[in-house]
Amino acid sequence: MKTRNYTKAIFTSLLLCVFAVSVNSAMAQRHKSNSRQFDYQLRGGINFCQIDGDASGSYSKIGFHAAVGTSFPLNDDNRLRFVVELGLSQKGSRIATSEMDRHISLLYVEVPLMLAYDFFDNKSLRISAGIAPAILAKANVYTDRSYDALHSNNYKTLDALPICISANYNITELIGVDVRYYNSMLNTAKENHSGTYRIIRSNKGQFNRLLQAGITLNF
């Protein structure tokens, strides 16, 4: 248990360092050139979640997300950008059958890293795609309303390769709406008696999949 806690602390520190370095780099570049603009964003909202491979196929688990992010330009017209975020996201699923009622709640600290492009003359629409490596902060599984320690401890500390696709539309300069899709590419469970697979058959188990909807504050 202590080893798991140390691993979480190490990965959390590394992700925080990545975020801090990215922000500092963006700020440094901003001072070098006034022609290149950097933006900052707060985002939050709800998650519609499921876990592929857990015997449930619907987005029946409702969670939340909250994040802070920045983006900096990769070309001269500022439209092609690199996005870095740091946030919390609650994932999981609910398995409801005649034999079992199971609630799986997985809270992750994640760092989405995406390439983005701003569309329209006022750059109000941003389409992004990338990966969102995540550290498991807390796992709670309840089976038939009782805490299930066995299944709660069956999830890996690191979800290393979720892909994400995002669409963000700014209603005003300050406020926007955001939708996002996530899908884990690597198995997130330690042991699997059943499940599905991604990419190759040996990569078999459980995979987080979710849709997000929320609002953004842009600076």
Side-chain angles (χ1 to χ4, degrees):
M1 193 68 178
K2 289 184 178 179
T3 301
R4 183 177 177 179
N5 291 336
Y6 291 150
T7 303
K8 284 184 180 181
I10 291 170
F11 277 116
T12 300
S13 298
L14 288 173
L15 292 180
L16 288 173
C17 286
V18 169
F19 183 76
V21 169
S22 299
V23 171
N24 288 336
S25 175
M27 292 300 293
Q29 291 295 329
R30 184 176 186 179
H31 288 297
K32 289 180 181 179
S33 174
N34 291 328
S35 65
R36 296 201 167 191
Q37 298 177 359
F38 295 77
D39 58 33
Y40 303 89
Q41 187 178 80
L42 297 175
R43 56 186 299 270
I46 59 175
N47 296 343
F48 302 92
C49 318
Q50 72 174 51
I51 297 177
D52 292 343
D54 70 346
S56 174
S58 62
Y59 291 91
S60 54
K61 165 69 177 176
I62 304 299
F64 72 90
H65 67 271
V68 58
T70 185
S71 79
F72 49 90
L74 299 177
N75 62 353
D76 290 335
D77 67 3
N78 296 323
R79 290 184 180 274
L80 181 64
R81 308 179 72 85
F82 188 74
V83 178
V84 182
E85 295 180 359
L86 177 64
L88 291 173
S89 186
Q90 187 182 42
K91 307 176 185 181
S93 72
R94 183 188 177 190
I95 306 170
T97 68
S98 58
E99 300 176 350
M100 178 179 60
D101 184 16
R102 177 172 292 161
H103 294 257
I104 303 172
S105 179
L106 307 174
L107 182 63
Y108 285 91
V109 178
E110 63 181 16
V111 180
L113 306 169
M114 297 182 289
L115 283 176
Y117 193 85
D118 291 341
F119 292 87
F120 304 141
D121 291 340
N122 60 359
K123 302 178 182 178
S124 58
L125 175 64
R126 175 172 294 178
I127 304 296
S128 311
I131 61 173
I135 297 169
L136 181 62
K138 190 174 184 180
N140 283 324
V141 179
Y142 284 83
T143 301
D144 297 328
R145 300 184 179 181
S146 296
Y147 178 70
D148 190 333
L150 179 65
H151 285 91
S152 294
N153 293 321
N154 193 41
Y155 291 93
K156 295 178 180 179
T157 301
L158 183 65
D159 186 1
L161 194 62
I163 60 170
C164 57
I165 302 172
S166 173
N168 178 237
Y169 182 76
N170 293 332
I171 300 171
T172 68
E173 289 187 3
L174 178 62
I175 299 175
V177 292
D178 182 74
V179 293
R180 192 170 290 190
Y181 170 79
Y182 286 83
N183 199 331
S184 296
M185 292 292 103
L186 299 178
N187 171 33
T188 60
K190 296 176 183 177
E191 297 183 7
N192 304 279
H193 299 291
S194 62
T196 185
Y197 70 92
R198 292 281 191 275
I199 307 173
I200 56 175
R201 290 189 178 274
S202 61
N203 181 32
K204 181 180 180 181
Q206 298 183 23
F207 304 85
N208 290 311
R209 181 149 55 107
L210 66 149
L211 299 170
Q212 289 184 346
I215 61 172
T216 61
L217 296 178
N218 309 299
F219 302 95

